[in-house]
Amino acid sequence: MSNQKAKINNPKSLFLNNVGQLVTANEDEVQCIKNTSVLIENGQVVSIGEGYSNHSIDCGGKMVTSGFVDSHTHPVYYNKRDEEYAMRLAGASYEEIAEKGGGIISSVEGVRHASKEVLIEKVSDRMDRFITFGTTTIEAKSGYGLDTESELKSLDVIETVNQTHVIDMVPTFMGGHAFPIEYEDDHEAYIDLICDEMIPAVSDQGIAVFNDVFCEKGYFSVEQSRKILEVGTKHGLKSRLHADEFVDSGAAKLAGEVAAFSADHLMAVSEAGIANLAENNIVATLLPGTTFFLGKTSYAPARKLIDAGISVALATDFNPGSSHIQSMPFIITLACMHMGMTVEEAYQSATYNGAKALGLEGEIGSIDVGKKADLILWDLDSLLDIPYHVSNHSIQKVIKNGEVVFGA
Ligand SMILES: [Zn+2]
């Protein structure tokens, strides 16, 4: 594929006509505009329902939506972990596999030994595939290096791919992903390394926007997570966290205390945790692909969260162990079938609320005049067709910054 920002030489303006249904979400609702058109100039939507350009696409009466915003992924890894998948198929749990040296830790050696060039190639290939599924902006975490040099390298890889690939990437530092083997018996020393060395170095490097911690039993405690996030804040990094995935550890409450942009996973969140997220206006990012890929049935309580007035985002949690899933359309299917979300809610969660989880809802996540022209032309008629055609690849074209980057 030639998904290189520099290589694209598309027209400055583009007119999408004969749009059967234009679907866009904002904070409060999902709007479906019938029989319309979209005019794009210099990468932005400039008008809806009128306009003209020498460069036009006949959408054939099909649906156009926003590009997806995947607000939680771990794409910087070297080796696949299909042997763990085989172990799970044979009955082992994620926790059992981690105890045997699998899980996050088994990706660390690969990242530490891989050259930056090799990782760039791998991450870039992964981004090619994300684009084909309609993802136009993606959050990307480090966190498989777990030493200062390898974490900086991982962030550098994200930045390099972001500069050259058509997709937009939002970099997150995640030194607090797991305890590396060399600190197995001295967790506090690793917390010190993150706080005293890694975070200042990440801040100096100037790439990462967010700081994320796996706040979970067996990983980072609430107190350790709080320390890492507070030190990050002092160094200009915004907070987000992996919260209450396997057990209720009080992480949702911590999200409120550190003013996190998002609390993610929440399969085991308590009533008090839900109340806290609502009170502090924190986005709840749900990752049903992880529940599905781990062969579990305890999906996050999306209905309770939505009914409490919380903005729910959906993301893939793409990673080599617990969610080897890149398709946001498939995540929408899971949300509708297993979490009681309506297709409109799932769509809003995969676009506008994903942008909100990254603090980018003013620029992306909806089809509005002045926002980035990140769009998907589907071979489908309506939103309901997305989960209904679960196994089809129903995307005709993906438009990023006003340029056709897939299905040209
Ligand atoms: Zn994650």
Side-chain angles (χ1 to χ4, degrees):
M1 284 178 87
S2 61
N3 270 337
Q4 298 258 312
K5 276 187 176 116
K7 283 188 193 160
I8 287 179
N9 194 17
N10 280 6
K12 292 261 183 248
S13 77
L14 182 64
F15 187 56
L16 304 184
N17 67 29
N18 197 12
V19 177
Q21 203 171 139
L22 185 74
V23 185
T24 180
N26 60 27
E27 181 79 40
D28 305 310
E29 58 173 3
V30 174
Q31 264 188 303
C32 298
I33 306 165
K34 294 212 165 134
N35 304 319
T36 190
S37 60
V38 182
L39 180 64
I40 298 163
E41 281 176 6
N42 298 316
Q44 289 187 342
V45 173
V46 293
S47 79
I48 295 168
E50 56 185 6
Y52 173 80
S53 165
N54 286 331
H55 300 99
S56 71
I57 294 171
D58 182 345
C59 297
K62 297 293 182 182
M63 174 172 69
V64 170
T65 69
S66 294
F68 294 119
V69 180
D70 190 345
S71 57
H72 183 137
T73 79
H74 305 258
V76 189
Y77 63 88
Y78 179 77
N79 52 314
K80 60 180 183 166
R81 301 204 325 239
D82 52 337
E83 72 294 342
E84 281 180 31
Y85 183 64
M87 285 164 80
R88 276 209 309 283
L89 294 181
S93 73
Y94 184 75
E95 292 87 340
E96 284 162 2
I97 290 166
E99 275 161 27
K100 286 180 187 156
I104 295 162
I105 287 304
S106 64
S107 289
V108 171
E109 280 305 294
V111 166
R112 285 183 181 177
H113 289 117
S115 70
K116 189 183 148 188
E117 289 66 32
V118 165
L119 289 172
I120 287 169
E121 202 182 315
K122 285 181 180 283
V123 174
S124 191
D125 286 350
R126 288 166 194 150
M127 294 306 129
D128 286 350
R129 183 156 308 220
F130 275 108
I131 284 283
T132 71
F133 288 120
T135 297
T136 45
T137 300
I138 191 166
E139 184 259 14
K141 303 174 200 296
S142 69
Y144 291 121
L146 306 184
D147 63 29
T148 305
E149 189 191 336
S150 307
E151 286 297 305
L152 292 174
K153 178 173 69 180
S154 298
L155 290 165
D156 202 7
V157 166
I158 295 168
E159 175 67 5
T160 304
V161 176
N162 189 29
Q163 293 296 334
T164 53
H165 201 280
V166 293
I167 207 165
D168 278 330
M169 302 176 79
V170 179
T172 294
F173 164 66
M174 199 174 177
H177 197 190
F179 290 98
I181 289 166
E182 62 272 24
Y183 289 95
E184 208 171 31
D185 300 321
D186 193 356
H187 285 185
E188 287 310 314
Y190 185 60
I191 305 293
D192 290 345
L193 180 74
I194 292 176
C195 292
D196 301 341
E197 188 179 302
M198 284 190 196
I199 289 175
V202 165
S203 177
D204 285 347
Q205 186 189 31
I207 293 170
V209 175
F210 288 101
N211 182 22
D212 193 346
V213 183
F214 195 0
C215 182
E216 186 72 33
K217 184 169 175 261
Y219 293 87
F220 294 81
S221 70
V222 168
E223 280 320 305
Q224 291 167 339
S225 302
R226 185 199 313 277
K227 188 173 176 199
I228 292 168
L229 294 173
E230 284 179 354
V231 171
T233 302
K234 277 188 199 139
H235 285 84
L237 298 172
K238 299 166 181 169
S239 298
R240 52 199 317 110
L241 71 165
H242 287 58
D244 302 335
E245 178 178 358
F246 302 125
V247 296
D248 170 33
S249 56
K253 190 161 173 283
L254 174 65
E257 289 163 13
V258 298
F261 272 68
S262 174
D264 300 22
H265 281 298
L266 303 170
M267 277 114 87
V269 69
S270 65
E271 298 289 339
I274 291 173
N276 210 278
L277 294 176
E279 222 168 89
N280 292 287
N281 198 22
I282 291 165
V283 177
T285 300
L286 306 184
L287 311 163
T290 313
T291 312
F292 174 84
F293 200 73
L294 291 176
K296 296 188 173 186
T297 53
S298 55
Y299 286 84
R303 276 263 57 86
K304 272 191 188 175
L305 292 157
I306 292 170
D307 294 344
I310 294 166
S311 296
V312 166
L314 286 169
T316 60
D317 192 20
F318 172 67
N319 75 77
S322 63
S323 181
H324 199 232
I325 295 172
Q326 292 181 264
S327 164
M328 286 296 280
F330 182 62
I331 297 297
I332 287 175
T333 303
L334 292 178
C336 292
M337 295 192 69
H338 294 291
M339 299 204 300
M341 291 174 74
T342 67
V343 66
E344 288 80 12
E345 286 167 345
Y347 171 76
Q348 181 189 38
S349 298
T351 55
Y352 185 87
N353 288 351
K356 194 176 169 186
L358 300 173
L360 294 175
E361 71 273 26
E363 294 161 48
I364 55 169
S366 65
I367 306 170
D368 282 312
V369 171
K371 276 193 165 182
K372 276 192 187 181
D374 294 355
L375 305 166
I376 304 170
L377 169 59
W378 297 81
D379 190 19
L380 299 174
D381 300 317
S382 70
L383 276 188
L384 185 63
D385 276 342
I386 297 176
Y388 179 63
H389 289 273
V390 54
S391 70
N392 294 12
H393 198 291
S394 307
I395 292 176
Q396 282 193 51
K397 290 184 195 298
V398 177
I399 295 165
K400 173 67 189 167
N401 286 326
E403 298 173 339
V404 177
V405 294
F406 171 71

